[in-house]
Amino acid sequence: WSSDVCSSDLSTAHAFTPFIDPLPIPPSIVVPADQHELTIHMRQFTAKIHSDLPEQQLFGYEGVSPGPTIEVNSGQKLTVHWVNELPETHVLPKPKDQMDEPGMPDVRTVVHLHGAVVEQPGTRDKLHDNDGWPDLWLKRGEEQIAEYPNAQNARTLWDHDHAMGVTGRNVAAGLLGIYEIHDELERSLELPSGKYDIPLVIQPKKLKANGSIDYVDTITREHYGNAFFVNGMMYPYLEVEPRKYRFRIVNASNARSVALKLLGANNTSTAGPAFYQIGSDSGFLADTVLLNDQIGRAHV
């Protein structure tokens, strides 16, 4: 990723060098085929976002961001208990013109599994909220019970906050994660797996001059950010072997579209090797699509 958007709002005292921190890989929760219940806690935690910048207070599922990658089998019904254990004070500033209704806490959450096919019961309450209704937000100590039938073929989905009026700020604070559905067709393709199957959650964030994470100052402004993060780290690197890799790419931007391309290591004006798109959050494509700097771009 180019660093042309990352330094304009940073002071000289907090200048940084890109590509010196290794890419973090979110932990995985591989749900056994005979398991149908899972509890995920939302918690505040402290983490480094770059070696040259101070530690940050963040929100995350199970105290990490991105949260644990949840892996299930196609057709495996899973009930997830999403529990809000966050503090009452948000880690990011509230937009100055945000007018919440009386009684709405500043920190409120609800989880939406983006791309999942779910049945939403006629009753709309937090204990039967499969889709993550924005107005069924949780206060600290409350839980949302969501039933995911996973009656879809292999694909990469993602879970993220969906609460009324604070979705953007909560996601910027770290409430997001990967959700993978696997099936027999996927296994038969002998795609790269294990450490060669890597999620890439791309997310621009806004940094203040002191290196801390900021948010938009008005609720009507889209949040573009001034620095790109991948899996919660600013401009990380990944050491790779001379072999095929599978990358599961999620654009967790509030407003940005992202065009991806490979560039030469020593000359960024030179196109790097070609790569192939094999699927989307709707499952595998009918055929692979060849992508590189000359032929096309991968839009996420």
Side-chain angles (χ1 to χ4, degrees):
W1 289 267
S2 170
S3 59
D4 58 353
V5 298
C6 66
S7 59
S8 59
D9 290 351
L10 296 179
S11 69
T12 302
H14 289 90
F16 67 93
T17 304
F19 315 126
I20 63 172
D21 292 296
L23 175 74
I25 305 298
S28 291
I29 298 176
V30 180
V31 184
D34 60 351
Q35 179 179 329
H36 301 284
E37 297 272 343
L38 184 65
T39 299
I40 300 291
H41 307 87
M42 308 172 208
R43 293 173 175 149
Q44 181 173 317
F45 67 101
T46 302
K48 294 282 285 186
I49 59 172
H50 189 278
S51 294
D52 296 338
L53 299 180
E55 288 188 329
Q56 305 284 324
Q57 294 293 320
L58 302 168
F59 289 168
Y61 299 123
E62 291 301 318
V64 292
S65 181
T69 298
I70 300 173
E71 299 187 47
V72 298
N73 292 311
S74 178
Q76 177 185 359
K77 295 182 180 179
L78 182 66
T79 298
V80 179
H81 300 253
W82 301 98
V83 183
N84 184 351
E85 295 184 353
L86 296 168
E88 296 181 355
T89 302
H90 211 287
V91 294
L92 295 181
K94 181 178 179 179
K96 59 186 178 183
D97 59 346
Q98 181 168 334
M99 303 295 292
D100 290 334
E101 295 181 4
M104 294 181 73
D106 187 38
V107 178
R108 53 188 185 271
T109 67
V110 68
V111 182
H112 173 67
L113 181 53
H114 196 104
V117 176
V118 299
E119 293 184 4
Q120 183 62 40
T123 57
R124 294 182 60 179
D125 65 88
K126 299 171 186 179
L127 301 183
H128 301 87
D129 184 11
N130 301 336
D131 193 55
W133 287 89
D135 55 354
L136 289 182
W137 41 263
L138 310 175
K139 297 185 294 185
R140 176 178 172 84
E142 293 184 329
E143 73 173 293
Q144 166 196 356
I145 301 179
E147 296 181 357
Y148 304 123
N150 299 312
Q152 296 166 272
N153 55 16
R155 63 191 61 209
T156 302
L157 308 178
W158 68 299
D159 46 79
H160 61 82
D161 184 78
H162 210 225
M164 179 67 71
V166 291
T167 294
R169 187 157 56 126
N170 283 348
V171 174
L175 289 176
L176 72 168
I178 297 285
Y179 190 102
E180 298 177 6
I181 300 177
H182 303 286
D183 63 14
E184 292 305 318
L185 172 61
E186 178 191 40
R187 296 184 182 98
S188 72
L189 297 176
E190 298 184 352
L191 296 168
S193 60
K195 66 178 182 178
Y196 306 110
D197 181 353
I198 299 174
L200 299 177
V201 179
I202 301 173
Q203 185 180 28
K205 296 189 180 187
K206 182 181 178 182
L207 297 183
K208 298 180 182 179
N210 65 4
S212 63
I213 296 177
D214 198 5
Y215 193 61
V216 292
D217 57 2
T218 171
I219 193 67
T220 58
R221 181 177 299 171
E222 293 178 317
H223 180 55
Y224 287 100
N226 58 7
F228 271 92
F229 289 69
V230 185
N231 293 356
M233 186 67 68
M234 187 166 65
Y235 296 93
Y237 70 88
L238 175 66
E239 291 187 354
V240 296
E241 301 173 23
R243 55 155 294 149
K244 290 182 180 179
Y245 280 77
R246 180 181 184 180
F247 295 103
R248 299 175 184 264
I249 302 170
V250 170
N251 181 10
S253 304
N254 178 284
R256 285 188 183 270
S257 297
V258 181
L260 302 179
K261 55 186 176 181
L262 295 179
L263 301 176
N266 299 318
N267 183 358
T268 56
S269 63
T270 302
F275 60 106
Y276 298 84
Q277 182 178 356
I278 63 172
S280 70
D281 57 1
S282 296
F284 287 112
L285 303 180
D287 199 356
T288 57
V289 178
L290 175 63
L291 299 166
N292 65 20
D293 197 28
Q294 281 76 37
I295 298 175
R297 292 179 175 180
H299 290 279
V300 293

Coordinates of all heavy atoms in Angstrom, one line a residue, residues 231-269:
N231 N -5.4 -5.7 9.4 CA -5.5 -6.5 10.6 C -5.1 -5.7 11.8 O -4.5 -6.3 12.7 CB -4.7 -7.8 10.4 CG -5.2 -8.7 9.3 OD1 -6.2 -8.5 8.7 ND2 -4.5 -9.8 9.1
G232 N -5.5 -4.5 11.8 CA -5.3 -3.7 13.0 C -3.9 -3.0 13.1 O -3.6 -2.3 14.1
M233 N -3.0 -3.3 12.2 CA -1.6 -2.7 12.2 C -1.4 -1.8 11.1 O -1.9 -2.0 10.0 CB -0.6 -3.8 12.2 CG 0.9 -3.4 12.4 SD 1.2 -2.7 14.0 CE 1.1 -4.2 15.0
M234 N -0.8 -0.6 11.3 CA -0.6 0.4 10.3 C 0.6 0.0 9.4 O 1.7 -0.2 9.9 CB -0.3 1.7 10.9 CG -0.3 2.9 9.9 SD -0.4 4.5 10.7 CE 1.1 4.6 11.6
Y235 N 0.3 -0.2 8.1 CA 1.3 -0.5 7.1 C 2.2 -1.7 7.5 O 3.4 -1.5 7.6 CB 2.1 0.7 6.7 CG 1.3 1.8 6.1 CD1 0.7 2.8 6.9 CD2 1.0 1.8 4.7 CE1 -0.1 3.7 6.3 CE2 0.2 2.7 4.2 CZ -0.4 3.7 5.0 OH -1.2 4.7 4.4
P236 N 1.7 -2.9 7.7 CA 2.5 -4.0 8.1 C 3.2 -4.7 6.9 O 2.8 -4.3 5.8 CB 1.5 -4.9 8.8 CG 0.3 -4.7 8.0 CD 0.3 -3.2 7.7
Y237 N 4.1 -5.6 7.2 CA 4.6 -6.4 6.1 C 4.3 -7.9 6.4 O 4.0 -8.3 7.5 CB 6.2 -6.2 6.0 CG 6.9 -6.8 7.2 CD1 7.4 -8.1 7.2 CD2 7.2 -6.0 8.3 CE1 8.1 -8.7 8.3 CE2 7.9 -6.5 9.4 CZ 8.3 -7.9 9.4 OH 9.0 -8.4 10.4
L238 N 4.5 -8.7 5.4 CA 4.3 -10.1 5.5 C 5.4 -10.8 4.8 O 5.6 -10.6 3.6 CB 2.9 -10.6 4.9 CG 2.7 -12.1 4.9 CD1 2.6 -12.6 6.3 CD2 1.4 -12.4 4.1
E239 N 6.1 -11.7 5.5 CA 7.2 -12.5 4.8 C 6.5 -13.7 4.2 O 5.7 -14.4 4.9 CB 8.2 -12.9 5.8 CG 9.1 -11.8 6.4 CD 10.2 -12.3 7.2 OE1 10.3 -13.5 7.5 OE2 11.1 -11.5 7.6
V240 N 6.8 -13.9 3.0 CA 6.1 -15.0 2.2 C 7.1 -16.0 1.6 O 8.3 -15.6 1.5 CB 5.2 -14.5 1.1 CG1 4.1 -13.6 1.7 CG2 6.0 -13.6 0.1
E241 N 6.6 -17.1 1.3 CA 7.5 -18.2 0.7 C 7.2 -18.1 -0.8 O 6.1 -17.6 -1.3 CB 7.1 -19.5 1.2 CG 7.4 -19.6 2.7 CD 6.9 -21.0 3.3 OE1 6.8 -21.9 2.5 OE2 6.6 -21.0 4.5
P242 N 8.0 -18.7 -1.7 CA 7.8 -18.7 -3.1 C 6.7 -19.8 -3.5 O 7.1 -20.9 -4.0 CB 9.2 -19.0 -3.7 CG 9.9 -19.8 -2.6 CD 9.4 -19.2 -1.3
R243 N 5.5 -19.5 -3.2 CA 4.4 -20.5 -3.4 C 3.1 -19.7 -3.4 O 3.1 -18.5 -3.3 CB 4.4 -21.5 -2.2 CG 4.3 -20.9 -0.8 CD 3.6 -21.9 0.2 NE 2.3 -22.1 -0.2 CZ 1.6 -23.3 0.0 NH1 2.3 -24.3 0.6 NH2 0.4 -23.4 -0.3
K244 N 2.0 -20.4 -3.7 CA 0.7 -19.8 -3.7 C 0.2 -19.5 -2.3 O 0.4 -20.3 -1.4 CB -0.3 -20.7 -4.5 CG 0.0 -20.9 -5.9 CD -1.1 -21.8 -6.6 CE -0.8 -21.9 -8.1 NZ -1.9 -22.7 -8.8
Y245 N -0.5 -18.4 -2.2 CA -1.2 -18.0 -1.0 C -2.7 -17.7 -1.3 O -3.0 -17.3 -2.5 CB -0.6 -16.8 -0.4 CG 0.7 -17.0 0.4 CD1 1.9 -17.2 -0.3 CD2 0.7 -17.0 1.8 CE1 3.0 -17.5 0.5 CE2 1.8 -17.2 2.5 CZ 3.0 -17.5 1.8 OH 4.2 -17.7 2.6
R246 N -3.5 -17.9 -0.3 CA -4.9 -17.4 -0.4 C -5.1 -16.3 0.5 O -4.8 -16.4 1.7 CB -5.9 -18.6 -0.1 CG -7.3 -18.2 -0.2 CD -8.3 -19.3 0.1 NE -9.6 -19.0 0.0 CZ -10.7 -19.8 0.2 NH1 -10.4 -21.1 0.6 NH2 -11.9 -19.4 0.0
F247 N -5.6 -15.2 0.1 CA -5.9 -14.0 0.9 C -7.4 -13.8 0.9 O -8.0 -13.7 -0.2 CB -5.2 -12.8 0.4 CG -3.7 -12.9 0.5 CD1 -2.9 -13.1 -0.7 CD2 -3.0 -12.8 1.7 CE1 -1.5 -13.2 -0.6 CE2 -1.6 -12.9 1.8 CZ -0.9 -13.1 0.6
R248 N -8.0 -13.7 2.1 CA -9.4 -13.4 2.3 C -9.5 -11.9 2.6 O -9.2 -11.5 3.7 CB -10.0 -14.2 3.3 CG -9.9 -15.7 3.1 CD -10.4 -16.5 4.2 NE -10.3 -17.9 4.1 CZ -11.3 -18.8 3.6 NH1 -12.4 -18.2 3.3 NH2 -11.1 -20.0 3.5
I249 N -9.9 -11.1 1.6 CA -9.8 -9.6 1.8 C -11.1 -9.0 2.1 O -12.1 -9.3 1.4 CB -9.3 -9.0 0.4 CG1 -7.9 -9.6 0.1 CG2 -9.2 -7.5 0.6 CD1 -7.4 -9.2 -1.3
V250 N -11.2 -8.2 3.2 CA -12.4 -7.5 3.6 C -12.1 -6.0 3.6 O -11.1 -5.6 4.2 CB -12.8 -8.0 5.0 CG1 -13.9 -7.1 5.5 CG2 -13.3 -9.4 4.9
N251 N -12.9 -5.2 2.9 CA -12.8 -3.8 3.0 C -13.7 -3.3 4.1 O -14.9 -3.2 4.0 CB -13.2 -3.2 1.7 CG -13.1 -1.6 1.7 OD1 -12.5 -1.1 2.6 ND2 -13.6 -1.0 0.7
A252 N -13.0 -3.0 5.3 CA -13.8 -2.5 6.4 C -13.8 -1.0 6.5 O -13.9 -0.4 7.6 CB -13.2 -3.1 7.7
S253 N -13.7 -0.3 5.4 CA -13.7 1.1 5.3 C -15.1 1.7 5.6 O -16.1 1.0 5.4 CB -13.3 1.6 4.0 OG -12.0 1.1 3.6
N254 N -15.1 2.9 6.2 CA -16.4 3.6 6.4 C -16.9 4.1 5.1 O -18.1 4.1 4.8 CB -16.2 4.7 7.4 CG -17.4 5.5 7.7 OD1 -17.8 6.3 6.8 ND2 -18.1 5.3 8.8
A255 N -15.9 4.6 4.2 CA -16.4 5.3 3.0 C -15.5 5.0 1.8 O -15.8 5.3 0.7 CB -16.4 6.8 3.2
R256 N -14.3 4.5 2.0 CA -13.3 4.4 0.9 C -13.6 3.1 0.1 O -13.9 2.1 0.6 CB -11.9 4.3 1.4 CG -11.3 5.6 1.9 CD -9.8 5.5 2.2 NE -9.3 6.7 2.7 CZ -8.7 7.6 1.9 NH1 -8.7 7.5 0.6 NH2 -8.2 8.7 2.5
S257 N -13.4 3.2 -1.2 CA -13.2 2.0 -2.1 C -11.7 1.8 -2.2 O -10.9 2.7 -2.1 CB -13.8 2.3 -3.5 OG -15.2 2.5 -3.4
V258 N -11.4 0.5 -2.4 CA -10.0 0.1 -2.4 C -9.7 -0.6 -3.7 O -10.3 -1.6 -4.0 CB -9.6 -0.8 -1.2 CG1 -8.1 -1.1 -1.2 CG2 -10.0 -0.1 0.1
A259 N -8.7 -0.2 -4.4 CA -8.2 -0.9 -5.6 C -6.8 -1.5 -5.3 O -5.9 -0.8 -4.8 CB -8.1 0.1 -6.8
L260 N -6.7 -2.8 -5.4 CA -5.5 -3.5 -5.0 C -4.7 -3.9 -6.3 O -5.2 -4.3 -7.3 CB -5.9 -4.8 -4.3 CG -6.7 -4.6 -3.0 CD1 -7.0 -5.9 -2.3 CD2 -5.9 -3.7 -2.0
K261 N -3.4 -3.9 -6.1 CA -2.5 -4.3 -7.2 C -1.2 -4.7 -6.6 O -0.8 -4.2 -5.5 CB -2.3 -3.3 -8.3 CG -1.8 -1.9 -7.8 CD -1.9 -0.9 -8.9 CE -1.5 0.5 -8.4 NZ -1.5 1.5 -9.5
L262 N -0.4 -5.6 -7.2 CA 0.9 -5.9 -6.8 C 1.9 -5.1 -7.6 O 1.8 -4.9 -8.8 CB 1.1 -7.4 -7.1 CG 0.3 -8.4 -6.3 CD1 0.6 -9.8 -6.7 CD2 0.5 -8.2 -4.8
L263 N 2.9 -4.6 -6.9 CA 4.0 -3.8 -7.5 C 5.3 -4.4 -7.3 O 5.5 -5.3 -6.4 CB 4.0 -2.4 -6.9 CG 2.7 -1.6 -7.0 CD1 2.8 -0.3 -6.2 CD2 2.3 -1.3 -8.4
G264 N 6.3 -4.1 -8.1 CA 7.6 -4.6 -8.0 C 8.2 -4.1 -6.7 O 8.0 -3.0 -6.2
A265 N 9.0 -5.0 -6.1 CA 9.6 -4.7 -4.7 C 10.5 -3.6 -4.8 O 10.6 -2.7 -3.8 CB 10.2 -6.0 -4.2
N266 N 11.3 -3.4 -5.8 CA 12.4 -2.4 -5.9 C 12.0 -1.2 -6.8 O 12.7 -0.2 -6.8 CB 13.6 -3.0 -6.4 CG 14.2 -4.1 -5.5 OD1 14.2 -4.0 -4.3 ND2 14.6 -5.2 -6.2
N267 N 10.9 -1.4 -7.5 CA 10.4 -0.3 -8.4 C 8.9 -0.3 -8.4 O 8.3 -1.1 -9.1 CB 11.0 -0.4 -9.8 CG 10.6 0.7 -10.7 OD1 9.9 1.6 -10.3 ND2 11.1 0.7 -11.9
T268 N 8.3 0.6 -7.6 CA 6.8 0.6 -7.5 C 6.1 1.0 -8.7 O 4.9 1.0 -8.8 CB 6.4 1.4 -6.3 OG1 6.9 2.8 -6.4 CG2 6.9 0.8 -5.0
S269 N 6.8 1.5 -9.7 CA 6.2 1.9 -11.0 C 6.1 0.7 -11.9 O 5.5 0.7 -13.0 CB 7.0 3.0 -11.7 OG 8.3 2.5 -12.0

